Amino acid sequence: HAGRDLASSGDLSAVLQLLPLKAVRSPGTRSAIADALSHIASSGDKSSTLQVMAPQADPEMLVMLAKAAEDLPSSGDKANFLMATASEYLGASQTLRNAYFRTVATIPSSGDMRNVLETALPYGHASPALTLQIIDATKGIASSGDVASVLESLVSQGLLRSGNERGTLAVIERTLTMPSSGDRANVLMTVSGNNLLTTTALRDAFTKAALALPSDGDKANVLASAARR
């Protein structure tokens, strides 16, 4: 009834935020909540409502909330929801992580997506698979500088130090599709500077990525950084 009868976005949000979600179990009730959420016209009201509901939601409801967040019109509001609920999604099951990253992929702003992924980084310490998801998610960032920021932070925060060769290789290969030679070089030098070139395969991939740099100056700097290690 609230979804149908309350014209005010703020009033509808206020009602939904008071729902005792721990008592919500039937498919019909869940469907009614999803329908009511779709009637919240204000992006800010909807984002705040989703944030309030998430901590008391069970896994099935969390998937539904993430799906609702995909439709938020404001990139900033979508990012705010994802940053506020990272602990509910990223410290849980793979299903919830996948739901989270599906929503991440719908963020239009490079800066907002960078902020969300950098908020997700600490959760990667407990999960090499999550670290790989973060690296893969950077493919949705249009700005080369924002991609570099996420990847450099990931390396600097030590997410690849526990024998995560797959993650290191993914970072190196990710540089091949970044448009800026300087940003690519900075990421590669961060990799070599953190002593991550521990296998022949990684060293070969690093050399290939360095030689693919458009700028001869960047190429020389990257190769020199590796030679000093």
Side-chain angles (χ1 to χ4, degrees):
H1 280 288
R4 291 196 307 268
D5 300 336
L6 291 178
S8 164
S9 180
D11 290 340
L12 178 54
S13 297
V15 170
L16 293 178
Q17 290 180 28
L18 293 174
L19 288 174
L21 291 189
K22 292 181 180 178
V24 174
R25 291 291 182 268
S26 73
T29 308
R30 293 178 188 273
S31 177
I33 292 174
D35 182 66
L37 286 168
S38 71
H39 284 84
I40 300 177
S42 162
S43 182
D45 286 337
K46 185 173 181 179
S47 178
S48 64
T49 300
L50 295 175
Q51 290 177 49
V52 169
M53 297 173 80
Q56 58 171 324
D58 62 21
E60 186 176 345
M61 182 65 73
L62 282 170
V63 171
M64 190 195 79
L65 296 179
K67 180 64 177 176
E70 292 181 26
D71 296 326
L72 286 167
S74 163
S75 180
D77 288 332
K78 191 175 296 190
N80 288 338
F81 166 76
L82 290 167
M83 290 187 287
T85 60
S87 61
E88 277 77 30
Y89 289 92
L90 301 181
S93 67
Q94 189 62 51
T95 297
L96 289 179
R97 292 175 185 171
N98 291 343
Y100 187 88
F101 281 102
R102 280 194 296 271
T103 306
V104 171
T106 66
I107 298 174
S109 162
S110 287
D112 286 332
M113 190 180 289
R114 179 202 68 217
N115 291 337
V116 170
L117 295 180
E118 289 182 343
T119 299
L121 289 178
Y123 299 92
H125 287 287
S127 173
L130 175 55
T131 299
L132 288 172
Q133 280 186 285
I134 294 171
I135 297 168
D136 187 64
T138 66
K139 295 175 183 176
I141 299 178
S143 163
S144 182
D146 288 330
V147 175
S149 177
V150 174
L151 296 181
E152 290 177 59
S153 294
L154 184 149
V155 174
S156 300
Q157 291 183 30
L159 271 69
L160 305 179
R161 288 180 190 157
S162 57
N164 189 359
E165 286 84 6
R166 286 183 62 197
T168 302
L169 181 61
V171 169
I172 293 171
E173 292 179 342
R174 178 67 183 90
T175 66
L176 293 170
T177 55
M178 293 168 60
S180 165
S181 180
D183 289 330
R184 290 163 63 174
N186 288 336
V187 173
L188 291 172
M189 287 189 285
T190 301
V191 169
S192 62
N194 280 267
N195 300 311
L196 296 176
L197 303 178
T198 55
T199 68
T200 299
L202 289 176
R203 289 190 289 273
D204 288 346
F206 182 91
T207 301
K208 177 182 176 181
L211 293 176
L213 289 167
S215 164
D216 288 339
D218 289 332
K219 191 180 305 183
N221 289 335
V222 171
L223 292 173
S225 74
R228 290 193 292 269
R229 297 290 165 177

